[in-house]
Amino acid sequence: MSADIFKRAGLFVAFVLAQALILGRIHLFGYATPLFYVYFVLLFPRNYPKWAVLLWSFGLGLVVDIFFNTPGVAAASMTLLGAIQPYYFELYVSRDAAENMQPSIRNIGWVKYFYYSLVMVLIYCLVFFTLDAFTLYNWVEWLKSVIGSAAITLLMILTFETVQDKQE
């Protein structure tokens, strides 16, 4: 278990640094910001303790909030994602699958992984940008931000997952 904690802590730091130093400064067309740190929550294996998923998710969201001065927006969105992930991943796994199966293209297939990550990224972007705007007065910009950020984030996740699958 301690090896898993060190691995998760390393991933945690890597995602925070990538978002804070590189990805957080990218705003394609003024709306689409890659939110690649969402991938951290997608990686939790089946039957990982739900309380630990919530703590890791909240912690990552809190650190992102600190770096980007979004008071509680990322923490709330990531916590919601962490609460949904264990139950949602079960929809894509057969009952006789391994207890510690990790979500990946190799384990559940490309189509299932696409839908798994698509829904999770969309939920995150919807909640994040809704809390960030806190109004739908400018709903066109809100919609552009949600769709643009979800698309670029999903593209990054699927690309990373495909490259990782090819290496194994």
Side-chain angles (χ1 to χ4, degrees), residues 86-104:
Y87 302 104
Y88 187 64
F89 180 55
E90 283 294 323
L91 298 175
Y92 294 96
V93 179
S94 63
R95 291 192 178 266
D96 59 341
E99 290 295 315
N100 61 350
M101 175 187 265
Q102 185 161 344
S104 69

Side-chain angles (χ1 to χ4, degrees), residues 138-155:
N138 221 347
W139 66 273
V140 174
E141 287 190 28
W142 170 81
L143 191 60
K144 287 178 183 177
S145 294
V146 169
I147 292 172
S149 295
I152 191 89
T153 301
L154 185 64
L155 181 67

Side-chain angles (χ1 to χ4, degrees), residues 1 41 44-58 78-90 99:
M1 184 70 173
V41 176
F44 283 105
R46 183 179 185 194
N47 290 338
Y48 198 81
K50 291 171 182 61
W51 62 268
V53 175
L54 284 173
L55 281 177
W56 281 111
S57 302
F58 173 76
M78 288 293 284
T79 304
L80 175 67
L81 212 60
I84 293 171
Q85 190 270 347
Y87 302 104
Y88 187 64
F89 180 55
E90 283 294 323
E99 290 295 315

Side-chain angles (χ1 to χ4, degrees), residues 93-166:
V93 179
S94 63
R95 291 192 178 266
D96 59 341
E99 290 295 315
N100 61 350
M101 175 187 265
Q102 185 161 344
S104 69
I105 288 176
R106 172 171 275 168
N107 291 337
I108 64 174
W110 206 95
V111 174
K112 286 184 179 181
Y113 190 81
F114 173 78
Y115 285 115
Y116 166 71
S117 54
L118 172 70
V119 170
M120 294 293 279
V121 168
L122 271 177
I123 288 172
Y124 181 79
C125 288
L126 279 169
V127 172
F128 181 85
F129 288 107
T130 303
L131 290 175
D132 190 39
F134 207 67
T135 180
L136 292 181
Y137 175 74
N138 221 347
W139 66 273
V140 174
E141 287 190 28
W142 170 81
L143 191 60
K144 287 178 183 177
S145 294
V146 169
I147 292 172
S149 295
I152 191 89
T153 301
L154 185 64
L155 181 67
M156 288 180 70
I157 289 171
L158 293 175
T159 302
F160 190 81
E161 193 62 36
T162 303
V163 168
Q164 191 174 359
D165 183 44
K166 299 268 190 226

Side-chain angles (χ1 to χ4, degrees), residues 25-55:
R25 309 217 185 295
I26 299 171
H27 304 290
L28 296 175
F29 310 113
Y31 298 102
T33 303
L35 304 169
F36 189 61
Y37 58 92
V38 172
Y39 184 54
F40 181 77
V41 176
L42 299 180
L43 291 174
F44 283 105
R46 183 179 185 194
N47 290 338
Y48 198 81
K50 291 171 182 61
W51 62 268
V53 175
L54 284 173
L55 281 177

